[in-house]
Amino acid sequence: MTETVLVTGGAGYIGSHMTLSLLEAGIQVVVLDNLCNSTAESLRRIERICGKAPVFIQGDIRNNAILDNIFTEHRIDAVLHFAGLKAVGESVQKPLDYYSNNVAGSLNLYQAMARAGVFHLVFSSSATVYGEPEQMPISENAPIGTPTNPYGRSKLMVEELLKDLAHSDPRWSIALLRYFNPIGAHESGLIGEDPNGIPNNLLPYISQVSIGKLKELAVFGNDYSTRDGTGIRDYIHVVDLADGHLKALQAISTQSGIHVWNLGTGTGYSVLEMIKAFEHASGVPVPYRIAPRRPGDIAECWADPSKAARELGWQAKRGLEEMMLDTWRWQSGNPQGYME
Ligand code: NAD
Ligand code: UD1
């Protein structure tokens, strides 16, 4: 039985929703986060929501002394590894930072786990590893693509590393979870996505336009061969994503080896459909203009989530309207994010 887990990156967007879900499921949580892209306020909000708090250690996954100390002080059954950098554009400018945090940091963490005899791991991967997929929807058997940027390559490298690790030693039990596009926020409106600076991703951009923080959205291309010419993605509610991790955690507690699961809804929406759905949920107009395509973007990408349904008994429950309402509640209630 899983009693205590280590969540790296637990103060961040997905990690904070995960920490809340784990605490609500009666699992104790140790969070390790260096707060390079988050604040400890997210953890205080979690306590406000559920009345329980994780143990918080501010530190870096590349610090061996901190890792060894955590594994000595706490009886960790499994690790959920979210810590890392995730901005695609920045990864092109600062590849060393990305390989250091995402690849060297992950390697360091797995070495510390092995030293401590902890072999259960859930890793945050991304649909980005599929590159430009030939067929929709994308199943786990689809060929791995060639990521076009250091961020994508860092995820692919860690996936390969983990496959080698699992094949080398049957004690390892690893879930590789490939996320599609996580959006939304907890229904309380107390935790959500709080990007630093100008957001890169669609939903944070739309929501900052809606509260007047940004002037207008640039829609990156309307000449794709999609139903309205704009890019199509599989947006998944962050709380559904966290539920998927809980199921994966259960699964790896009883089976060893490495398992890959897509976490998506199986439905794709275009950029224009997302704008409309947000306007409908919030009652606020989102001004936009059509801009050139963003380099590196693909036309469409949505998941075949049937493997997770079959093997984990998991499927996303929250539809587009709920994703938009929850995003709006978080953004309108916290216009400055966690900075009150
Ligand atoms: P986030 O930036 O909100 O969270 C990452 C957290 O890790 C932050 O709190 C940051 O402070 C921390 N961190 C970064 N480097 C660290 C280090 N070296 N040591 C300790 N802590 C460190 O990002 P997120 O959206 O919550 O993403 C979580 C994970 O999921 C990442 O690995 C990301 O690549 C992956 N992922 C995210 C998405 C997405 O759209 N959000 C999609 C696919 C995969
Ligand atoms: C991006 C990353 C991908 C990562 C994923 C989830 C890139 C090239 N890819 O994917 O590696 O795994 O986030 O974090 O950044 N859009 C606009 N205007 C905007 C922002 C986005 O029109 O201001 C469009 C995009 O062209 C795309 C859709 O909205 O069609 C979604 O974009 P985004 O949220 O950035 O996610 P992805 O491009 O799918």
Side-chain angles (χ1 to χ4, degrees), residues 99-274:
Y99 290 120
S100 172
N101 272 276
N102 296 5
V103 181
S106 295
L107 178 62
N108 208 51
L109 172 67
Y110 308 149
Q111 285 172 324
M113 289 174 68
R115 281 197 296 280
V118 177
F119 295 102
H120 290 182
L121 170 72
V122 179
F123 175 65
S124 302
S125 190
S126 166
T128 196
V129 300
Y130 294 116
E132 192 143 9
E134 281 159 20
Q135 235 179 299
M136 273 325 132
I138 307 172
S139 81
E140 293 81 353
N141 298 327
I144 296 296
T146 316
T148 52
N149 55 73
Y151 167 72
R153 279 190 280 277
S154 75
K155 288 288 167 195
L156 194 55
M157 283 178 195
V158 175
E159 282 209 1
E160 297 297 320
L161 184 163
L162 288 173
K163 286 174 194 161
D164 290 338
L165 189 58
H167 294 141
S168 73
D169 183 339
R171 286 176 298 175
W172 283 95
S173 183
I174 299 169
L176 280 186
L177 302 182
R178 293 183 182 148
Y179 311 161
F180 282 68
N181 290 55
I183 63 167
H186 187 258
E187 60 178 5
S188 63
L190 287 174
I191 58 172
E193 188 167 11
D194 181 18
N196 263 337
I198 297 177
N200 302 302
N201 296 116
L202 181 64
L203 246 285
Y205 208 105
I206 289 182
S207 42
Q208 292 198 10
V209 168
S210 74
I211 57 160
K213 222 171 149 181
L214 295 168
K215 208 170 117 256
E216 64 178 3
L217 172 76
V219 174
F220 295 143
N222 66 348
D223 56 353
Y224 288 105
S225 60
T226 58
R227 50 185 175 263
D228 62 18
T230 65
I232 293 185
R233 297 290 185 274
D234 184 338
Y235 297 92
I236 174 170
H237 197 296
V238 64
V239 175
D240 280 330
L241 194 73
D243 287 345
H245 286 66
L246 274 183
K247 298 279 189 179
L249 187 63
Q250 271 169 15
I252 61 164
S253 71
T254 56
Q255 43 184 304
S256 73
I258 188 157
H259 308 272
V260 183
W261 288 295
N262 280 342
L263 295 183
T265 65
T267 304
Y269 292 103
S270 75
V271 177
L272 296 181
E273 288 164 351
M274 295 298 281

Side-chain angles (χ1 to χ4, degrees), residues 64-81:
N64 279 326
I66 291 182
L67 288 173
D68 288 341
N69 203 37
I70 290 173
F71 288 114
T72 310
E73 299 255 304
H74 304 274
R75 281 197 38 160
I76 304 290
D77 299 304
V79 176
L80 293 105
H81 178 32

Side-chain angles (χ1 to χ4, degrees), residues 13-14 33-34 36-38 60-61 82 86 101 151 155 182:
Y13 171 45
I14 304 172
D33 198 305
N34 67 3
C36 71
N37 197 36
S38 55
D60 199 293
I61 52 168
F82 295 93
K86 62 162 183 177
N101 272 276
Y151 167 72
K155 288 288 167 195

